[in-house]
Amino acid sequence: MVLGRLIFGIGGECLEVAQAKITTDWFKSRWLGFALGLNLSSARVASALNDNLSPVIASHPVGVVGASWVGFTVCVLCLACGFGLAYLDRPESRKSAGVRLDARDRKLEQVRSRTGNIIGHRAINVSSDSIMTMALSPNAVEEEEENEKENEMAEDDQMRFSEIFTLQTNFWILSLCCISLYGAVVPFIHILSDFLQKKWYHKNPTKAGAVMSIPDIVSSVGSPLCGYLVDRFGNRARYIPVSAILLIWVHVQLGFTMFTPVVAMFILGLSYSLFASVLWPCIPFLVKDHQLGTAYGLVTIALNISLTFFPMIVASILHATDGSYQHTEGMFITLSVIGLLLSIILNVVDHRQGGDLQHSEESALLSSELQSQDDEYYEERIRREQLQREHQQQRGHYDPREPGFEYRRQRRFSQDLLQVEDPDIEDVQGMVTTIPVGEGIITVIPHRRRHSMAGFTGYMERARLRQHANHVQVAPGLNSTPGSMPHQSSPHLASNSTFSERRQE
Ligand SMILES: C[C@H](N)C(=O)N[C@@H](CCCCN)C(=O)O
């Protein structure tokens, strides 16, 4: 049973982290609170069903084994939904919906676009074992440099372990809120059936089960509703102290009065909806995008610390006090008060740091638009200045407006590359055919093993340039009139079939 619970715990908690991360990726800019609230709501509906159905199934002749089979069927349905989700969340759909790619997919994307640039995004598949490229576009070198930068950025995009220690104070305060507030609710719900039977519904587990499902039922409606309200009106961190106050009320009433528990159960449901639907959507506001998965993981660890240790503490209090629920209520009240203090500190720190947690969706959108307009403006300015500087530096050597500029630029590049010693280059050179066309060169690469293309590309590029430099030396038509573009095939190229001939082949 312990092994089963261990596997169940690993699966369930990883699922929660993944759900939160995927939901945030898709809804970060709009409806995040509502989407995460719906997420919680589905969990609450399932808990409420479980509270009501488990005693009924268990009292049926099929007993606990029958109840377990119902659970198994639900897990199989879940697996099918998981496959459905994996399909909907594939990188292509993310890209077309403008959703941020994960670091791994971004990296793959970079490699693909890098290969595409050198082999040519204008690459034409000539036959199953050869690839033809239009290379040496005027911007090829710049594009390549840009790709390299993007590649580095994709590497930076992965969260490093050491970054955990740089997460801001408010993130940690929020995690502590999670420990205390969840600690005042979930372990209490675990003992609720016994508690209700002992104090109000003697030996009536079905009635106790029905009453204990009230918080989950209220929360299943309240969580998306609260999520919607914080999306719409902001002030999300301000709801956390309110929910802590409600929790104090619930535990005082249930522990120290005989007033009907039904009202307290409603308020517990309200408080549970409020802090859960506010706490999780706060996380994306406290960390950077690439830290999101780890951040959700860390808060889930905090949640599980709470759900591991407080039930043990409750059990030992009950054991030590001969089953006195007033002492356990004392512990839950203490946790709620700690949650209240922490949430007040959270609000104070957030206020000092500019109130990130208080934004409504509209104000966040507006400020991010202004921010990106600013960014674009400065990026454009820096780009222009850089281009201007480069242009001025190059002016002394050659002017792009002069005829033959591109030809001379390529020749210089090729000559530079010829200085580089590379023994392997000869092998590759024999396999490559280049044909001058217009302002560029077509490179035909016999290529049987397409998947090794990326590794091959570096050699290819050099071989192509080296060969181009060879043309410059051997072909009088190319060399004699600097300033004009190559317009005829060199003897070196005469033996090679043309682009269209190859395509026909
Ligand atoms: C027991 C379960 N692990 C739990 O209490 N989960 C929390 C957190 C859900 C986080 C969803 N992003 C809950 O409120 O249900």
Side-chain angles (χ1 to χ4, degrees):
M1 190 187 79
V2 173
L3 181 67
R5 287 182 74 86
L6 180 77
I7 296 171
F8 186 78
I10 293 172
E13 298 310 302
C14 292
L15 184 71
E16 273 182 10
V17 175
Q19 268 178 343
K21 165 79 168 67
I22 294 172
T23 310
T24 309
D25 282 350
W26 282 84
F27 293 94
K28 189 176 176 199
S29 52
R30 276 210 98 177
W31 300 98
L32 179 62
F34 181 67
L36 287 176
L38 272 183
N39 215 308
L40 289 173
S41 168
S42 58
R44 302 291 179 262
V45 170
S47 299
L49 278 175
N50 183 48
D51 292 342
N52 284 287
L53 291 181
S54 290
V56 177
I57 301 173
S59 65
H60 198 264
V62 291
V64 176
V65 177
S68 304
W69 278 111
V70 173
F72 174 79
T73 314
V74 174
C75 288
V76 172
L77 284 177
C78 238
L79 181 67
C81 291
F83 283 123
L85 176 65
Y87 176 76
L88 291 175
D89 188 47
R90 65 196 191 284
E92 301 86 68
S93 10
R94 279 186 171 233
K95 263 182 85 181
S96 61
V99 174
R100 185 175 193 281
L101 289 177
D102 285 329
R104 194 180 55 107
D105 292 330
R106 271 164 73 91
K107 223 169 167 188
L108 277 175
E109 190 68 17
Q110 303 296 347
V111 171
R112 243 180 255 139
S113 82
R114 189 177 151 76
T115 316
N117 248 333
I118 297 175
I119 304 292
H121 32 224
R122 285 143 280 179
I124 301 147
N125 206 346
V126 180
S127 71
S128 60
D129 57 10
S130 70
I131 293 209
M132 183 167 277
T133 60
M134 290 285 289
L136 283 189
S137 76
N139 295 324
V141 180
E142 288 87 23
E143 274 178 29
E144 199 184 331
E145 278 167 8
E146 218 159 83
N147 270 331
E148 232 150 58
K149 268 187 220 153
E150 276 177 18
N151 226 2
E152 278 163 22
M153 269 168 62
E155 269 163 26
D156 281 352
D157 206 31
Q158 283 174 2
M159 167 110 185
R160 290 186 193 87
F161 183 76
S162 57
E163 274 181 69
I164 290 177
F165 306 104
T166 64
L167 293 173
Q168 58 165 296
T169 322
N170 254 356
F171 172 79
W172 298 111
I173 300 175
L174 192 81
S175 305
L176 292 175
C177 280
C178 179
I179 293 181
S180 52
L181 295 177
Y182 268 102
V185 174
V186 180
F188 177 62
I189 291 178
H190 288 169
I191 58 163
L192 204 48
S193 178
D194 267 358
F195 175 48
L196 292 173
Q197 286 182 66
K198 203 167 182 188
K199 200 165 172 179
W200 284 279
Y201 312 113
H202 301 284
K203 295 200 167 72
N204 191 347
T206 314
K207 178 88 193 263
V211 173
M212 81 181 264
S213 67
I214 293 175
D216 283 320
I217 294 171
V218 172
S219 179
S220 64
V221 180
S223 301
L225 200 70
C226 293
Y228 169 76
L229 290 177
V230 291
D231 285 342
R232 182 88 175 76
F233 301 108
N235 294 323
R236 49 182 63 70
R238 295 205 180 126
Y239 294 114
I240 304 179
V242 175
S243 77
I245 291 169
L246 292 179
L247 273 183
I248 296 171
W249 171 358
V250 168
H251 288 301
V252 170
Q253 186 195 315
L254 289 174
F256 301 96
T257 72
M258 283 303 290
F259 195 71
T260 172
V262 175
V263 176
M265 290 295 114
F266 269 102
I267 299 169
L268 181 61
L270 201 64
S271 165
Y272 195 15
S273 330
L274 206 55
F275 79 74
S277 58
V278 164
L279 193 145
W280 297 97
C282 277
I283 298 169
F285 291 87
L286 298 176
V287 297
K288 295 183 186 133
D289 280 352
H290 72 281
Q291 299 170 333
L292 197 59
T294 311
Y296 275 125
L298 287 171
V299 184
T300 305
I301 290 175
L303 166 68
N304 283 298
I305 287 175
S306 180
L307 304 191
T308 305
F309 291 106
F310 290 121
M312 288 184 194
I313 297 171
V314 168
S316 49
I317 292 174
L318 284 173
H319 183 72
T321 59
D322 213 12
S324 155
Y325 280 97
Q326 282 193 344
H327 287 88
T328 51
E329 282 297 18
M331 187 200 91
F332 291 128
I333 292 169
T334 312
L335 282 174
S336 311
V337 171
I338 294 172
L340 175 63
L341 296 175
L342 285 167
S343 57
I344 292 171
I345 298 172
L346 180 79
N347 275 281
V348 172
V349 176
D350 179 60
H351 181 71
R352 288 205 186 135
Q353 290 178 346
D356 281 347
L357 294 178
Q358 314 299 356
H359 286 308
S360 68
E361 208 163 62
E362 230 166 88
S363 65
L365 212 66
L366 195 71
S367 75
S368 84
E369 256 172 35
L370 288 176
Q371 176 70 41
S372 71
Q373 274 174 14
D374 266 9
D375 289 351
E376 271 170 32
Y377 170 77
Y378 283 110
E379 268 168 27
E380 180 59 26
R381 221 173 107 171
I382 290 167
R383 231 171 107 87
R384 275 196 203 167
E385 282 171 7
Q386 172 88 12
L387 277 174
Q388 214 171 358
R389 260 197 309 276
E390 276 173 17
H391 183 62
Q392 277 165 1
Q393 274 172 10
Q394 287 174 356
R395 245 188 125 89
H397 302 289
Y398 44 79
D399 187 336
R401 285 164 304 190
E402 276 175 29
F405 155 76
E406 180 53 25
Y407 172 68
R408 284 197 301 278
R409 191 179 77 97
Q410 288 174 15
R411 195 178 56 175
R412 270 168 56 100
F413 194 10
S414 312
Q415 279 165 351
D416 286 349
L417 267 154
L418 273 173
Q419 311 300 320
V420 182
E421 283 296 318
D422 191 341
D424 290 345
I425 213 155
E426 299 303 329
D427 302 340
V428 182
Q429 202 176 349
M431 300 164 71
V432 177
T433 307
T434 55
I435 308 157
V437 171
E439 288 208 340
I441 287 179
I442 293 178
T443 308
V444 182
I445 312 153
H447 201 271
R448 290 187 183 278
R449 294 170 59 197
R450 198 96 58 79
H451 60 268
S452 64
M453 211 59 198
F456 191 42
T457 321
Y459 288 128
M460 274 294 317
E461 186 67 356
R462 282 196 192 167
R464 180 178 55 69
L465 290 164
R466 184 175 245 232
Q467 195 161 12
H468 176 58
N470 286 346
H471 305 162
V472 172
Q473 283 155 17
V474 294
L478 297 175
N479 218 6
S480 55
T481 49
S484 68
M485 286 307 300
H487 57 276
Q488 60 185 73
S489 295
S490 69
H492 183 79
L493 294 170
S495 61
N496 295 314
S497 48
T498 62
F499 167 66
S500 55
E501 279 166 0
R502 276 241 164 196
R503 192 145 64 152
Q504 276 158 17
E505 276 168 41

